[in-house]
Amino acid sequence: MSEHEVIGPSDASGNPGTAQVSSTPFVYIAAIFAALGGLLFGYDTGVISGALLFIRKTFSLSTTEQEFVVSVVLLGAIAGALTGGGFADRIGRRRTLIVTSVIFVAGAIVCAAAVSVGMLILGRAIVGLGIGLASTAVPLYISEVSPAHTRGWQVSLFQFAITVGILLAYVVDYAFAASEAWRWMLGLAFIPGVLLGGGMLVLPETPRWLAKHQNLDNAREVLRKIRGAGDVEAELEEIKTTLATSEERGRWSDLGMPAVRSALVIGIGLAIFQQITGINTVIYYAPTIIQKTGISSNSGAILATAGIGLVNVIMTIVSMWFIDRIGRRPLLLTGIGGMIVSLGVLGLAFRISLQAGALAPIAVITLMAYVAFFAISLGPIFWLLIAEIYPLKIRGLAEGTASASNWAANFLVSLTFLTLVELLGPSWTFWLYGLLSVAAWIFSYRLVPETKGRTLEEIERSWHKPSRTRLT
Ligand code: BGC
């Protein structure tokens, strides 16, 4: 097996990093399997828009029932994220992912076999639970097995998989549309569900969770497997020292401790900003928005939607290329800056097109630019940071809190978007998201620390330093 070895980076105070970092291909395989949880997240949230057209017919659904079939996934995800963190801390990251895969598979079967709207809603709630669990446990798992110098792009595999899942959902919806086969659309999630579980059965627990549970021999063994012949003792020592000096006891009340509070505010803040800056109005309602710009044909709207999905995937790869090179902060601030400008122009395009009726292409290009800027910034970096910034003893709980806040904000935005467009019109709705993006930029500029190249233990220690030294 080939290996590359890198000396640990300096910490914030300029001391050389303690851990010798090297890695084997095994760690990439582990990350890729875990990222299947992201694929299910993207697929299951994306697939419903197309499937709904036919489900509506099969069960003669009322508007309220339709809304419920769509949004119950988000409610399930809130519950899954809230419980997932505690689970991941108690039973382990790996076992939580195995449970997650069973839930995904069960959800896919119940949805595909639904004989009533009640059964369908139950299936969608189960799927939501799986998504919530995955959104907490996957970033956590990848972050804890990755070496510091590649952790950024490896955890971003999760976001990459989400975007591929969304694109796949658009394609599957399109492929099955002629035969109106909504059961296949929902049931196909079965396949990545099985792969996730199968992969996790043979992959190891993270060395950090093992060390936290005093299982040092196994922690050492896993480190050897994922780091190769490099000096795993230094990394293990660093984990042990950090555990020995941390004050948390692994309870909910720890979230209020001074060294945890700042990280908690950053995680929850980014969670909310990731959603209230409007990304899912585009992801969930793209065809509706596009038709408002004047493209009236269904196939034109679908094609433009697929284009947006593709931009989302490609720009996530671009972000993964830069994230360990130039760091999280520059990408985050540039991306949110781009979102602000795109939303400004989008609002303007709607205003002008309403009067002149000829600006549909500008609106579509601006929508793509907005998604592209999200894909290099708030998309991957939110999920990455919440897997990096919390102390090991309460990492699952704290991350679950941020993840649940993300789902709650998602629920709120999805529920209010169409009403907002009715009340304010599309221009002011997008300008409102633009203003909220300005707030997101200021929040990130002032509070979000740079975590590039630092070990999780160095990041943990940095919360005990004065806040002004944490940013870079
Ligand atoms: C967000 C999702 C969103 C997706 C779009 C994720 O980071 O959490 O809500 O649908 O990105 O790519």
Side-chain angles (χ1 to χ4, degrees):
M1 274 184 182
S2 71
E3 290 153 21
H4 44 271
E5 198 158 309
V6 175
I7 304 296
S10 303
D11 68 13
S13 57
N15 298 323
T18 43
Q20 291 263 359
V21 198
S22 63
S23 45
T24 66
F26 189 78
V27 74
Y28 305 127
I29 295 170
I32 288 167
F33 267 97
L36 282 172
L39 192 84
L40 284 153
F41 169 157
Y43 184 82
D44 277 322
T45 48
V47 78
I48 195 66
S49 62
L52 194 64
L53 303 174
F54 313 111
I55 293 174
R56 187 160 60 196
K57 242 164 88 183
T58 308
F59 297 119
S60 319
L61 297 185
S62 66
T63 311
T64 321
E65 283 169 332
Q66 284 177 55
E67 280 170 355
F68 209 60
V69 168
V70 175
S71 55
V72 73
V73 159
L74 302 177
L75 293 178
I78 298 174
L82 271 181
T83 47
F87 263 138
D89 280 347
R90 241 172 299 127
I91 66 170
R93 291 37 170 148
R94 174 179 164 270
R95 283 197 207 116
T96 304
L97 282 171
I98 294 173
V99 173
T100 304
S101 88
V102 174
I103 291 178
F104 270 126
V105 170
I109 295 173
V110 175
C111 284
V115 290
S116 64
V117 61
M119 186 167 167
L120 185 67
I121 288 173
L122 175 72
R124 295 280 294 161
I126 298 175
V127 165
L129 209 60
I131 299 178
L133 282 167
S135 67
T136 303
V138 172
L140 202 56
Y141 181 86
I142 306 180
S143 156
E144 289 188 349
V145 293
S146 305
H149 66 290
T150 58
R151 195 180 54 239
W153 76 259
Q154 284 190 241
V155 178
S156 301
L157 277 172
F158 177 63
Q159 174 71 16
F160 171 68
I162 295 174
T163 60
V164 173
I166 293 171
L167 189 62
L168 208 65
Y170 291 158
V171 174
V172 169
D173 277 356
Y174 189 65
F176 284 108
S179 54
E180 307 198 353
W182 63 266
R183 293 182 193 278
W184 276 100
M185 296 176 185
L186 301 184
L188 276 181
F190 178 88
I191 301 171
V194 169
L195 287 177
L196 170 66
M200 279 301 137
L201 281 176
V202 292
L203 288 164
E205 181 49 78
T206 79
R208 287 176 170 81
W209 186 86
L210 289 167
K212 185 181 115 178
H213 287 78
Q214 320 299 336
N215 204 338
L216 292 176
D217 289 341
N218 275 342
R220 182 176 296 110
E221 201 177 299
V222 174
L223 273 175
R224 289 222 174 93
K225 226 185 237 174
I226 59 181
R227 302 278 185 263
D231 180 10
V232 300
E233 289 308 324
E235 188 169 348
L236 191 59
E237 235 5 86
E238 194 183 10
I239 299 171
K240 273 164 50 187
T241 315
T242 310
L243 278 169
T245 50
S246 73
E247 288 159 12
E248 296 84 25
R249 292 149 305 168
R251 304 197 189 132
W252 281 104
S253 54
D254 292 348
L255 298 183
M257 290 169 74
V260 183
R261 220 181 298 139
S262 318
L264 197 73
V265 169
I266 293 170
I268 294 179
L270 282 179
I272 295 172
F273 280 125
Q274 198 212 36
Q275 293 298 325
I276 62 172
T277 46
I279 186 61
N280 284 317
T281 63
V282 180
I283 300 294
Y284 301 166
Y285 296 103
T288 316
I289 299 175
I290 288 166
Q291 286 187 334
K292 277 188 196 298
T293 70
I295 298 177
S296 55
S297 81
N298 280 339
S299 56
I302 289 174
L303 204 67
T305 305
I308 289 171
L310 197 64
V311 167
N312 199 7
V313 174
I314 294 171
M315 292 310 285
T316 306
I317 300 174
V318 171
S319 173
M320 287 162 72
W321 175 261
F322 283 116
I323 209 157
D324 293 306
R325 291 182 166 87
I326 64 172
R328 289 50 161 161
R329 272 177 66 85
L331 270 179
L332 190 61
L333 296 174
T334 311
I336 301 177
M339 286 166 67
I340 296 170
V341 176
S342 320
L343 285 165
V345 177
L346 193 60
L348 209 61
F350 269 102
R351 180 123 301 202
I352 296 167
S353 75
L354 282 181
Q355 285 156 10
L359 284 174
I362 296 185
V364 172
I365 292 170
T366 319
L367 269 181
M368 287 184 173
Y370 164 76
V371 169
F373 283 118
F374 173 86
I376 61 163
S377 59
L378 272 176
I381 294 175
F382 159 65
W383 295 110
L384 170 60
L385 282 171
I386 64 165
E388 295 185 319
I389 59 175
Y390 299 118
L392 177 54
K393 283 199 184 145
I394 49 141
R395 194 167 287 148
L397 270 189
E399 191 187 346
T401 312
S403 175
S405 316
N406 186 265
W407 288 110
N410 188 340
F411 183 64
L412 193 81
V413 174
S414 310
L415 219 60
T416 52
F417 174 62
L418 292 179
T419 318
L420 270 183
V421 173
E422 239 164 63
L423 277 179
L424 305 177
S427 292
W428 272 106
T429 304
F430 289 118
W431 283 336
L432 177 65
Y433 296 137
L435 285 177
L436 291 167
S437 304
V438 172
W441 194 94
I442 297 169
F443 178 89
S444 305
Y445 178 76
R446 299 197 58 133
L447 295 179
V448 172
E450 184 52 81
T451 53
K452 176 191 83 167
R454 295 181 178 178
T455 64
L456 294 177
E457 290 65 37
E458 283 167 352
I459 298 169
E460 181 163 344
R461 285 199 298 276
S462 75
W463 295 112
H464 295 278
K465 296 180 182 156
S467 57
R468 65 181 181 288
T469 63
R470 282 188 216 133
L471 289 183
T472 50

